[in-house]
Each structure stands twice: as structure tokens, then as C-alpha cells.
Amino acid sequence: MKHMTQRFDWKRWIPPLVLLALFLLLVVRLNQVDKVPLVSREGQTFEKGVVTEILQDNLQPNGTRVGEQVVRVRMTSGELEGQEIETTSSAGFLFGAPCTVGMRVVVMQSVAGDTVVSSVYSQDREFQIICFVLLYLLALCLIGGWQGAKGALSLIFTFVCIIWVYLPMVYRGWSPFWSAVLVCAVTAVVSMWLLGGATRKTLVATGGTVAGVVMAGLFASFFSFSTGVTGWNVSDIESLMSLWSTSGIQVGGLLFSGLLISALGAMMDVGMSIASAMAEIQAQTPDITRRELFRAGMRVGRDMMGTDSNTLILAFAGGSVSILVLDYAYDLPWLQIINSNNIAISIMQGLSGSFGVILSVPATVLLAALLYTLPSRKATTDIAADAQ
């Protein structure tokens, strides 16, 4: 027991704890912002309930639903908790729900004295979503072991950075592009540190990841300049314009910042894989020269390019399937399709992200070749520990 206590070095945890405290202070400070109300929601709340009776159904003989259902719902939250109310549920695809007895629903309601105006907003999916998230984290921890648990922590940290750091920064009027670069850099540093510790391998993987993210942003900016496609050409620009006019949000940069965040995962994968492979090569052949190590790293990187370069293109293509099906069904001419804003944006996102993945390979390999071959005995010892 005494031996274990002596081996545990508290000093190594002081810098991470200090940085964590500063990060939490930043999160609290960024989220102290008063949002400008875009629509009036005074008196309107979203509450949970359970359908107890179908008073009037809208199911047609052919199986479709037309109009509204009239249902009785027992409220389980809000001012009317424990009471039963009569409300409606529309047959729309975006709002409402095909109610059945026992279904948990979310009710949009306004209460003013004895007057209640309400309607079913959607099926209550909160519990199922939380269960699926927990199931994913559990599988990650059980199959991945300690590394999987650290990966789960990394995922949670990334989520926190996007929701409570990136979004408040953008809302305050900061550049979405550079806010995304900062968030990606911080996320990469923390994720790599959790997975690899404070080693040269972590430094190499982080440097390659950040380089790839920046390259993807620069390529997207060049694509935008050349084609005239900007963040103002997105399909929901009408709604975003209200944010620009009321809060000063730089709407034009949202498209490119979203690209960087989408490409981060693939670039982290490339960076860590190459850094680990080159660390293993160096550990097995400590007398390898810098040039030989660079060539070996490039051979590893070229093998990864073949698959990783397709990852983001296929991801963005998959997200555009609805648009592609509509274009195919309407038999639109080639010039109309290739020059439409939606198709151009999808092409820009896929190519720019893949371009960043490709360029992150030589950046990671070069950084690894420089750091792993430092002429010091301690460096060789560290590299052998990195490869373990």
C-alpha cells in the first residue's frame, strides 16, 4: 500500500486540474448572456402527459390520417399535473403524433386562469433517447475497457464544448470559423490527452489534427471564393437572418464552422493512428533515421487515405439523399443540378473535409518524424513508452 502511495504523483495532476478550473470558469462566463427573444412565448410551456382516451380519431379506411385527433391526456408535469385535459393532435409530419391509449406525449399548453389552450406537440421520446445514449456509452466502456471509458469522457467533453462554449461564442458575435477552430483544438488536445497521456504521441496526433482542421477551413474558403457559394446560401437563411439582425451573429461563417466540427472526428482518427504506428516503428527500430521514419509514416498514411478520404464525402452525400432523390424524380437538367446552392454546398463540405484529412497525413508524419528522432536518450525512452 505504501509503495502504491509513493508511485502516485500528485504533481502531474496539478496542471490538468488548474486548466479544468479555468475551463469551467470560461464556460460559466460565456453562458452569462441575455438572449434576445425572437418570438413571444409568454405563458407557453411544454409539459409531459399520458394519453388516457381517444375521443375522436382521424384514422381513414385506407390507413392514412387526416385532420386532428381529439384525445384526453393526464398531465404529469406543469401547472395541471395530475389533471386530465382534452386536447387535439394534428396529423402533420412535423408536429403532432398518432396518439394511442397509454402513449407518452409532450403537450404544448398556455394556461391563463381557467382557460387552457393546448395541443399535442409530439411523442415524448426523452426516455428512449437517454437510454440509447447510455447504452452506447456502456457498450463503449465494456468493449473498450479503460480506453473506452476515456473515449466516453472525451465524447462528453466534446458535447460540452459545442453546446456551452461554441454556441455562446457565436451568439456573442464572435467569428464562427475561429470559434470552431478553437473548440476543435481544445477538443483534440483533451481527447488525445485522455487517450494517450502527456506524451510525444499525443502531441503529434494533436498537431496533425489541428493542421487538418485548419486546412479544411482554408480549402472551403477558397472554394467559396471561387464558386460564390457562401454561408448566406443555405436553405434556412430566412430564419438565420433574424439572428443576424437582432443578435449580430455572423451567419455567413456558420457553414464553414460546421464543416470543421464535422471533419474533426475523421482527422483525430487519422492523427492518432499515424502517430501510434510511427511510435511503434520507432520503438521497434530505434536506429531508424528521420528520413526512413518519414517514408514509413507516409506509407502508412497513404493506406489510410484510400478509406478515410471517402468517409466525409459519403457522410455528406448521405445527408443529401433527400435532395438527390427529388432532383432525380423531377429529372432536372445537369446545369441546374450542378449549379444549385444545396448541391454546391454538399460538394464543398465533402471535398473540403476530405482535403483536410489528406493534408493532415503529411503534417502528422512530418511532426512525428521530427519529434520521434530527437537526439536524446530520454526521447527514445519516451517513444518506447508511447508505443505501449
Side-chain angles (χ1 to χ4, degrees):
M1 183 69 178
K2 182 178 179 181
H3 179 67
M4 293 179 62
T5 305
Q6 289 178 346
R7 291 181 58 188
F8 189 81
D9 187 7
W10 288 97
K11 293 181 179 179
R12 62 178 295 191
W13 290 98
I14 293 178
L17 291 176
V18 171
L19 292 175
L20 178 61
L22 293 176
F23 174 77
L24 293 177
L25 182 63
L26 173 65
V27 170
V28 173
R29 180 67 182 87
L30 283 175
N31 286 272
Q32 292 176 348
V33 58
D34 295 326
K35 296 182 181 179
V36 178
L38 301 177
V39 293
S40 177
R41 297 187 180 276
E42 186 176 356
Q44 183 185 82
T45 60
F46 290 81
E47 308 295 347
K48 295 182 178 182
V50 179
V51 177
T52 59
E53 185 180 357
I54 307 296
L55 301 177
Q56 179 182 327
D57 207 347
N58 61 349
L59 184 64
Q60 305 301 306
N62 60 1
T64 62
R65 293 185 178 274
V66 178
E68 296 179 335
Q69 284 179 305
V70 180
V71 298
R72 191 179 301 279
V73 178
R74 185 180 73 254
M75 304 302 299
T76 57
S77 68
E79 294 185 29
L80 304 179
E81 182 178 358
Q83 302 181 32
E84 290 195 354
I85 64 172
E86 183 178 316
T87 187
T88 60
S89 177
S90 65
F93 292 103
L94 297 179
F95 304 104
C99 295
T100 57
V101 175
M103 175 184 286
R104 298 180 180 274
V105 294
V106 175
V107 177
M108 181 174 61
Q109 65 178 20
S110 298
V111 180
D114 295 332
T115 304
V116 179
V117 178
S118 64
S119 63
V120 173
Y121 175 73
S122 69
Q123 180 180 349
D124 184 8
R125 309 181 183 96
E126 181 183 21
F127 178 76
Q128 290 86 342
I129 292 175
I130 292 176
C131 285
F132 273 101
V133 171
L134 293 178
L135 182 62
Y136 167 75
L137 295 177
L138 179 63
L140 186 61
C141 294
L142 290 178
I143 298 176
W146 178 235
Q147 287 294 99
K150 290 190 289 187
L153 289 176
S154 171
L155 181 62
I156 294 172
F157 181 81
T158 302
F159 177 80
V160 169
C161 283
I162 293 175
I163 301 299
W164 284 291
V165 176
Y166 170 75
L167 294 182
M169 289 175 68
V170 172
Y171 190 83
R172 287 173 175 268
W174 294 23
S175 167
F177 179 83
W178 291 112
S179 297
V181 170
L182 175 62
V183 168
C184 289
V186 172
T187 302
V189 169
V190 173
S191 300
M192 297 300 185
W193 178 80
L194 285 172
L195 295 175
T199 60
R200 282 181 172 84
K201 180 173 66 176
T202 298
L203 181 60
V204 169
T206 302
T209 299
V210 174
V213 168
V214 173
M215 290 297 179
L218 293 177
F219 185 86
S221 300
F222 178 72
F223 187 97
S224 172
F225 176 79
S226 302
T227 62
V229 175
T230 68
W232 299 96
N233 300 125
V234 294
S235 57
D236 52 354
I237 186 60
E238 297 295 336
S239 300
L240 292 173
M241 284 294 292
S242 60
L243 297 179
W244 173 70
S245 61
T246 58
S247 305
I249 294 177
Q250 300 182 30
V251 173
L254 293 177
L255 175 64
F256 304 102
S257 64
L259 164 66
L260 301 186
I261 296 174
S262 300
L264 177 62
M267 294 176 192
M268 289 175 61
D269 177 50
V270 170
M272 180 55 79
S273 298
I274 293 178
S276 297
M278 293 184 67
E280 180 66 24
I281 293 172
Q282 175 68 20
Q284 297 300 323
T285 55
D287 58 340
I288 190 172
T289 65
R290 180 171 294 173
R291 176 172 294 184
E292 290 172 342
L293 182 60
F294 179 83
R295 290 176 176 174
M298 286 303 299
R299 286 193 292 269
V300 173
R302 289 191 182 102
D303 290 338
M304 298 183 63
M305 284 184 192
T307 54
D308 288 333
S309 61
N310 295 330
T311 301
L312 294 175
I313 292 180
L314 294 176
F316 286 114
S320 304
V321 165
S322 299
I323 300 174
L324 295 175
V325 170
L326 287 174
D327 292 342
Y328 181 82
Y330 281 100
D331 196 21
L332 300 181
W334 165 254
L335 281 179
Q336 182 178 357
I337 294 175
I338 196 63
N339 288 287
S340 66
N341 289 326
N342 290 330
I343 294 298
I345 288 174
S346 298
I347 292 174
M348 181 197 70
Q349 290 174 327
L351 290 181
S352 299
S354 297
F355 191 81
V357 169
I358 292 173
L359 291 185
S360 67
V361 170
T364 306
V365 171
L366 179 61
L367 187 58
L370 293 174
L371 292 182
Y372 289 174
T373 56
L374 290 177
S376 66
R377 182 177 180 182
K378 185 177 184 301
T380 304
T381 305
D382 289 344
I383 293 169
D386 290 348
Q388 295 178 355

